[in-house]
Amino acid sequence: MLKNSFLYKIGNKTKLAKYLGITRKELLDLCSDDLYRVYEEPKHNGTGTRTIEAPAKQLKSIQRKLNKELQKLETPSYLFSGIKGKSFIDNALVHVQNKYILCVDIHSFYPSTDSKKVLEFYKYSLEIPNDIAKILTELTTFDGHLPTGAPTSVILAYFAYAITFEDIYKKAQELDIDMSVYVDDVTFSSKKNIPTSFYNFVEKRMKQQGLILKKKKTKWYKPNDFKIITGHGISVNNEGKVPIKNILKIKSIMQGKNIKELSYQELISLRGALTVAQKIEPNFYNTLFNRICILLKNSTRG
């Protein structure tokens, strides 16, 4: 699978630039932190903000091409983020039939993934010479870490720690524990109780790589609990349910208004929130969703 990617063993700057559709000079000019815009945006749950490190238009275009090549690399069945055709719902469905579930969240995953880790991936996994690996690292990192707004960050976050994830996966298999990875959310499930010693192993293995698990987001679910896995609610009867926080987000956007009173941007946000909800419950607020789509269509025409 490595050989399917143009990036595998690439050792020529001119060849790399030609593939990316730019000149050699442009290739080197794009290796700059000055090509990012940093700003804050509200978190999806409505509490606080998150920092966005957005690359300039040309750099983002180059990152998309690199991401296309990274998509060609072989990935394990337990990885669901950054993979075409997989979603947060597929990630959750892995665990539906298991009674016991453990969800952990890696704290500040992108900022914690430093350039050195990314460089090592290019050098050792893709067998790229150091000078070319450095260029690729500079094209896909910002201020010494993975940027939150780059198309390449999702898949690189996995590849940077592939050995660590694989070690944890092997340990999980030994204990008959299923595992899935969705960016910074790692989920484990089993038909029997998951031992605390396994969690300690995961925490220790992550810590060895400079990764910290968020204590507040660590969730242990038992058979009779309503479970939330990467935003997908699962009832006691193993049915998909929209989590209450998603419903509250929808209500917060509407703020008690009639939908005709909402601004164009509020309608866009509401449609996005409902689209996510309907991936879990297909008919969720379907009448409201259809009315919003009609309003947006008429608004665009106007």
Side-chain angles (χ1 to χ4, degrees), residues 32-70:
S32 172
D33 282 352
D34 294 335
L35 296 175
Y36 284 83
R37 182 170 70 92
V38 181
Y39 61 94
E40 301 292 318
E41 74 170 16
K43 289 184 177 179
H44 294 308
N45 58 15
T47 59
T49 61
R50 61 192 292 260
T51 302
I52 303 298
E53 298 151 338
K57 186 176 180 180
Q58 186 182 17
L59 177 57
K60 190 169 186 177
S61 175
I62 295 302
Q63 290 172 344
R64 286 197 181 102
K65 290 181 181 180
L66 291 174
N67 189 52
K68 185 178 179 181
E69 290 303 312
L70 292 171

Side-chain angles (χ1 to χ4, degrees), residues 112-122 159-161 209:
S112 298
T113 306
D114 61 34
S115 300
K116 183 182 177 182
K117 287 287 183 185
V118 178
L119 177 66
E120 289 174 350
F121 161 67
Y122 287 128
F159 283 130
Y161 298 98
Q209 296 300 314

